[in-house]
Amino acid sequence: MRYDYNCLLVLLHCLNHRLELAVHDSIKYIGALNHFKSFIDSLYVLYNASSKNQNELRNVCNELDILFLKLGRVLNVCWVASSWRAINAVWKTFPALCNHFCNAVNDSTKDSKTRNKYLGLKKRLASPEFVSDLGLMCDCLQELSMLSNQLQERTTTLIQGQKHIKRTIRIIESFKVTPGEHMSEVSKLKEVMVFKNIQLSTNTKLITINPKQFKVQEEKISLWKIL
């Protein structure tokens, strides 16, 4: 009589996979984060579905002496490090994106529907509300990306992984009192309303991310899911 040893096996997600589950669970509790994600995804579709749009953006980057970076999706099935690269691309190419939208709005060869679409994109992008969300997401995803890469290392032990996780939680928690690198730059917007030499205009229609809600929820779920 054979004994089925498979019944004794316990399947566990790797720590990095658990991190992804924690991040995706946090999205469910924050409606504004879904709006932010949808907008970034719309930028991805705009430039990746059209080589013409991508070439136009590349030309604007060259004119402004900005490194051209391809836009990606955020908070999808890829590791969180991929989301950080996508958000960082928007942060670095922000002036080029705004200029490309302005050029499209004033392009008489485009129909009115297309010009209005670009106008809507510009109003959302060039607003202090969006830039504030962008800065917050940059700081948080940068830390989570570092954690993700550390957990992917083959030499990382469970004890080391736990230390990395607790360190990341402490850093994200500290953002409540001390803004991160990107949020520190964004905090000056209320006075000058200019970001990367782009004039910003308030967009009252935008639902912004509540920083305290985002951070508390992220910490709570991360502790429950990962540790």
Side-chain angles (χ1 to χ4, degrees):
M1 180 177 178
R2 292 186 176 181
Y3 185 78
D4 186 7
Y5 288 97
N6 290 331
C7 65
L8 302 178
L9 297 177
V10 178
L11 298 179
L12 294 174
H13 289 297
C14 69
L15 287 178
N16 204 47
H17 193 183
R18 290 191 176 195
L19 172 63
E20 299 302 318
L21 294 176
V23 172
H24 284 281
D25 278 353
S26 68
I27 300 174
K28 301 175 184 177
Y29 295 89
I30 307 169
L33 188 54
N34 285 306
H35 292 290
F36 179 86
K37 178 181 182 300
S38 296
F39 179 69
I40 299 297
D41 286 347
S42 69
L43 295 181
Y44 168 81
V45 173
L46 178 68
Y47 290 107
N48 283 270
S50 170
S51 57
K52 180 177 181 293
N53 289 338
Q54 191 170 117
N55 289 333
E56 289 177 353
L57 179 61
R58 191 192 304 272
N59 292 335
V60 175
C61 285
N62 291 335
E63 292 172 4
L64 298 177
D65 196 22
I66 296 174
L67 177 65
F68 172 77
L69 297 172
K70 285 189 176 182
L71 304 182
R73 293 185 183 276
V74 295
L75 304 174
N76 59 353
V77 295
C78 298
W79 290 141
V80 72
S82 176
S83 294
W84 155 241
R85 288 192 294 271
I87 291 295
N88 190 41
V90 176
W91 177 272
K92 290 187 174 180
T93 60
F94 182 87
L97 288 168
C98 287
N99 276 272
H100 182 229
F101 293 160
C102 286
N103 294 341
V105 170
N106 298 319
D107 188 350
S108 59
T109 63
K110 299 184 186 296
D111 58 56
S112 59
K113 182 179 180 180
T114 301
R115 292 200 300 270
N116 286 333
K117 180 183 75 171
Y118 279 103
L119 179 60
L121 291 172
K122 179 184 177 297
K123 285 183 177 180
R124 174 151 193 166
L125 187 73
S127 68
E129 292 82 9
F130 173 79
V131 174
S132 177
D133 287 350
L134 182 63
L136 173 63
M137 293 300 294
C138 278
D139 284 335
C140 291
L141 285 175
Q142 185 176 28
E143 293 300 328
L144 292 173
S145 174
M146 290 175 58
L147 174 60
S148 177
N149 290 330
Q150 289 169 337
L151 296 179
Q152 289 181 61
E153 293 180 2
R154 298 178 66 88
T155 56
T156 300
T157 64
L158 286 174
I159 295 176
Q160 291 173 334
Q162 186 175 7
K163 289 181 179 179
H164 293 324
I165 292 167
K166 289 184 175 181
R167 171 191 169 277
T168 301
I169 292 174
R170 286 197 302 270
I171 292 175
I172 293 179
E173 185 177 2
S174 71
F175 290 160
K176 297 177 185 177
V177 180
T178 306
E181 173 189 352
H182 299 86
M183 279 302 293
S184 295
E185 186 174 344
V186 171
S187 62
K188 306 172 185 176
L189 294 180
K190 293 182 179 179
E191 300 176 2
V192 296
M193 290 295 283
V194 174
F195 179 66
K196 294 182 180 289
N197 296 322
I198 298 296
Q199 185 67 46
L200 304 181
S201 298
T202 300
N203 190 332
T204 56
K205 294 182 180 180
L206 289 187
I207 302 175
T208 57
I209 300 171
N210 182 340
K212 292 184 179 179
Q213 178 193 16
F214 177 78
K215 291 161 189 169
V216 170
Q217 193 67 51
E218 187 68 58
E219 293 159 14
K220 182 170 64 176
I221 296 180
S222 293
L223 279 169
W224 172 66
K225 275 279 189 179
I226 300 175
L227 297 181

